[in-house]
Amino acid sequence: MASPKLFLVTLFLSLQTLFIASQTLLPSSNPSSTICKTTPDPKFCKSVFPQTSQGDVRDYGRFSLRKSLTQSRKFTRTIDKHLKRNNGLLSQSAVRALQDCRDLASLTTDYLITSFETVNVTTSSKTLSFSKADDIQTLLSAALTNEQTCLDGVNTAASSSWTIRNGVALPLINDTKLFSVSLALFTKGWVPKKKKQHYSWAHSRTKPVRHFRNGALPLKMTERTRAVYESLSRRKLADENDGNTVLVSDIVTVNQNGTGNFTTITEAVTAAPNKTDGSAGYFVIYVTSGVYEENVVIAKNKRYLMMIGDGINQTIITGNRSVVDGWTTFNSATFAVTSPNFVAVNITFRNTAGPEKHQAVALRSSADLSIFYSCSFEAYQDTLYTHSLRQFYRECDIYGTVDFIFGNAAVVLQNCNLYPRQPLQNQFNAITAQGRTDPNQNTGTSIHNCTIRPAGDLVSSNYTVKTYLGRPWKEYSRTVFMQSYMDGFVEPVGWREWNGDFALSTLYYGEYNNTGSGSNTTNRVVWPGYHVINSTDASNFTVSNFLFGDEWMVQSGVPYLAGLLS
């Protein structure tokens, strides 16, 4: 029998060999120059891999993802170093930009770990399901969005800080390129080729599915919490074994007069359980009517949280942070949520900074599989920040001026009311500013069966400003308006440039079967990226196809239409 010392040495060498092997590409017939042709930046892609490397697309994808994860962790340490060494040398706006980057880097690392774990156990002969491939493509798309958000913030701060410009912004540019390579190779190697056809046209036209999750009522649901939930949500919970049950684990009440469990929303969020898997149902926070002057942040560990108010303009959450006052756009939000499977019902989210303070967000969602039902979002520039991941909005009211629905999530707004309002003098209204930066991101804004009418102050001004459907914030901006009503105040050209011819050939803007005098496409822009689309193309942007919503939305009890209107 070998000695313990010899055994440990042998084990160490074996593990070292395995580690080295995991860092190299498997032998195959494809050099990196061939694989990299499928990426947005082939020259940079080739620099990622050893010059003599050989492998198939999955070998390169694993290698790139592993390197992306290493860089993400390295970048986190870089941000920590700059924040630690601040000593009052950085401006407040620079510090806030770095803090945003720190939070975003933490999320990015999580996304990359999950992605790498998935691809690392997927052999060359094994394929991912449509929904699993969408999960990972969504995470990698969000990781790239996080990098871009950080870069946008530090570039703004870099004008007053040489340290940030050289120590943070420049390395981040290369990290962004690396993440783009990882996303491209995953899309090429793991995403099923017929993903968009997974749901047939016939399926996408079906009536809405039953909107309750099958399962028994949790034991924690007392008669009191049952009564409260039914009263708040205006829908009856079924008895056990009925098969139409929304699972709710517990309900707490926020009331400013002290008669509830908490007097502030932040206290209730803090008390919510951490890292739940949803098997016990939603933790419900009932926020009674009132004006709550709070900047609420719901962190990533507060999963399966449902917040229900007394109604639009009854339960109001309000703040006034803005870019002019030193906040970044990202952290100007009155309400910011990152936790997966978040649901909000019957609440108004408001930012009162006003048009003169420019970017001032009412709500920012970076929450995957998040739902907002019968809510209102009120501000001026940058009202609703659909930042990243997958989101759904139903029967909501959204008020704003410049780019008032913006971000880079995969998001569907359904049966919502969009209200452009009066901006500052010499400004114009742009309903959307979608921020897709990479052709492989599965993101975009889908506006389905919504109504676009002017807000009261815009009517009173006799329409002295122009209103457009959107403009391209980033190079691959993607937005569609489908089966929606557009009032006549929408400009006949429909869309507006961001800066000269930027993105006009790479964006994707579509309109399908809209109504109202503002929907006439005769005089629309003639950009290469603009399309009047048909029903087949439009079906790609429905709840079922764009969000895979049938697999996660039913548990919330929120109604939705899976496909196009019949």
Side-chain angles (χ1 to χ4, degrees):
M1 181 177 179
S3 67
K5 182 176 181 180
L6 180 59
F7 173 78
L8 290 174
V9 171
T10 303
L11 177 62
F12 172 77
L13 291 174
S14 299
L15 291 173
Q16 187 180 49
T17 300
L18 287 172
F19 175 76
I20 293 172
S22 71
Q23 305 305 301
T24 58
L25 297 169
L26 299 176
S28 186
S29 59
N30 294 313
S32 61
S33 58
T34 300
I35 296 295
C36 287
K37 289 180 181 178
T38 63
T39 66
D41 189 344
K43 183 177 180 180
F44 177 84
C45 175
K46 286 176 61 178
S47 72
V48 171
F49 306 107
Q51 290 185 357
T52 59
S53 61
Q54 297 280 330
D56 65 19
V57 67
R58 291 192 173 191
D59 298 330
Y60 284 103
R62 293 186 188 96
F63 186 96
S64 178
L65 264 173
R66 185 188 301 113
K67 194 167 184 177
S68 295
L69 180 55
T70 299
Q71 287 302 113
S72 179
R73 288 166 168 160
K74 181 179 178 180
F75 182 70
T76 300
R77 294 193 295 270
T78 298
I79 295 297
D80 287 341
K81 179 183 69 176
H82 282 281
L83 287 171
K84 185 176 181 180
R85 293 180 180 178
N86 175 21
N87 296 324
L89 299 178
L90 298 176
S91 66
Q92 186 180 59
S93 60
V95 171
R96 285 171 174 164
L98 289 176
Q99 289 170 339
D100 287 352
C101 289
R102 182 62 177 82
D103 293 340
L104 290 163
S106 175
L107 292 170
T108 295
T109 299
D110 291 345
Y111 302 159
L112 292 174
I113 289 173
T114 299
S115 300
F116 181 72
E117 288 175 347
T118 298
V119 303
N120 207 36
V121 299
T122 307
T123 64
S124 58
S125 61
K126 183 180 179 181
T127 60
L128 295 176
S129 66
F130 291 102
S131 60
K132 188 62 177 178
D134 190 68
D135 288 343
I136 303 305
Q137 191 177 9
T138 295
L139 293 178
L140 294 178
S141 296
L144 194 53
T145 298
N146 289 348
E147 296 288 287
Q148 188 63 52
T149 302
C150 173
L151 186 59
D152 288 346
V154 297
N155 278 338
T156 301
S159 60
S160 60
S161 174
W162 177 90
T163 301
I164 290 181
R165 181 171 59 253
N166 290 275
V168 178
L170 293 181
L172 190 58
I173 292 173
N174 279 338
D175 287 355
T176 301
K177 292 180 180 179
L178 175 60
F179 287 14
S180 177
V181 171
S182 295
L183 175 61
L185 296 181
F186 176 81
T187 303
K188 179 71 174 178
W190 280 272
V191 175
K193 296 298 183 289
K194 294 185 178 181
K195 175 184 172 183
K196 291 301 182 184
Q197 286 74 44
H198 175 54
Y199 291 93
S200 68
W201 169 236
H203 176 88
S204 70
R205 289 178 60 87
T206 57
K207 294 180 180 179
V209 298
R210 301 174 78 183
H211 305 303
F212 298 91
R213 178 180 176 180
N214 292 333
L217 202 63
L219 294 177
K220 285 187 177 181
M221 178 61 81
T222 64
E223 287 303 314
R224 176 186 174 277
T225 54
R226 173 196 288 271
V228 170
Y229 180 84
E230 291 179 353
S231 173
L232 298 178
S233 65
R234 300 190 299 277
R235 59 180 75 246
K236 184 176 177 60
L237 283 176
D239 292 329
E240 188 172 343
N241 300 322
D242 182 86
N244 280 341
T245 303
V246 176
L247 297 177
V248 176
S249 62
D250 203 357
I251 296 178
V252 297
T253 300
V254 179
N255 196 319
Q256 292 173 319
N257 66 13
T259 60
N261 303 95
F262 306 97
T263 57
T264 69
I265 297 168
T266 299
E267 290 172 336
V269 171
T270 301
N274 296 328
K275 298 182 178 180
T276 59
D277 61 6
S279 59
Y282 291 99
F283 182 86
V284 176
I285 298 175
Y286 167 40
V287 186
T288 61
S289 60
V291 179
Y292 294 82
E293 296 183 5
E294 298 184 52
N295 286 93
V296 179
V297 177
I298 302 182
K300 63 183 180 181
N301 60 334
K302 300 294 182 179
R303 302 171 184 166
Y304 289 93
L305 191 149
M306 180 180 289
M307 189 173 293
I308 305 178
D310 276 328
I312 291 175
N313 292 328
Q314 298 299 312
T315 297
I316 302 169
I317 305 172
T318 184
N320 62 1
R321 291 178 178 175
S322 69
V323 168
V324 170
D325 287 336
W327 300 91
T328 63
T329 301
F330 187 79
N331 61 34
S332 70
T334 298
F335 194 100
V337 55
T338 307
S339 61
N341 299 94
F342 175 80
V343 181
V345 183
N346 297 341
I347 297 173
T348 289
F349 302 93
R350 182 179 292 167
N351 190 314
T352 61
E356 67 278 0
K357 294 298 180 73
H358 297 286
Q359 296 94 333
V361 175
L363 180 134
R364 184 193 81 235
S365 177
S366 306
D368 198 19
L369 314 179
S370 54
I371 298 175
F372 298 85
Y373 176 44
S374 188
C375 291
S376 178
F377 308 91
E378 302 174 8
Y380 289 85
Q381 183 171 346
D382 291 2
T383 301
L384 176 59
Y385 195 172
T386 57
H387 178 259
S388 57
L389 302 164
R390 292 164 289 194
Q391 307 177 24
F392 178 66
Y393 296 76
R394 171 84 179 197
E395 296 173 30
C396 292
D397 298 335
I398 306 157
Y399 296 80
T401 56
V402 181
D403 308 334
F404 69 90
I405 301 171
F406 76 112
N408 195 25
V411 56
V412 175
L413 291 86
Q414 193 174 86
N415 293 33
C416 293
N417 298 307
L418 314 182
Y419 294 109
R421 60 199 308 186
Q422 182 68 16
L424 291 175
Q425 188 175 4
N426 299 321
Q427 284 186 332
F428 57 87
N429 288 330
I431 296 172
T432 65
Q434 206 281 328
R436 187 165 169 252
T437 61
D438 191 285
N440 291 300
Q441 288 180 308
N442 59 350
T443 56
T445 299
S446 174
I447 296 178
H448 184 207
N449 196 29
C450 293
T451 299
I452 303 169
R453 297 184 187 276
D457 58 352
L458 189 58
V459 175
S460 300
S461 72
N462 294 318
Y463 306 105
T464 55
V465 300
K466 296 182 177 181
T467 295
Y468 302 90
L469 299 178
R471 59 179 185 149
W473 180 28
K474 301 295 182 181
E475 189 172 3
Y476 293 93
S477 181
R478 182 161 63 174
T479 303
V480 295
F481 285 77
M482 312 188 303
Q483 300 179 316
S484 294
Y485 174 84
M486 302 178 182
D487 212 342
F489 72 110
V490 174
E491 285 295 302
V493 295
W495 307 81
R496 183 183 174 104
E497 301 87 349
W498 184 271
N499 184 16
D501 63 357
F502 169 73
L504 301 188
S505 61
T506 52
L507 60 78
Y508 183 93
Y509 286 166
E511 295 184 55
Y512 169 70
N513 203 23
N514 297 302
T515 60
S517 53
S519 68
N520 190 325
T521 59
T522 302
N523 296 312
R524 288 295 198 249
V525 294
V526 292
W527 307 336
Y530 171 75
H531 311 276
V532 177
I533 58 179
N534 58 31
S535 59
T536 301
D537 293 332
S539 69
N540 288 329
F541 298 96
T542 59
V543 166
S544 285
N545 286 335
F546 198 46
L547 300 182
F548 282 74
D550 295 327
E551 301 192 14
W552 58 272
M553 286 169 53
V554 292
Q555 63 188 325
S556 70
V558 172
Y560 68 91
L561 182 66
L564 296 171
L565 295 170
S566 300

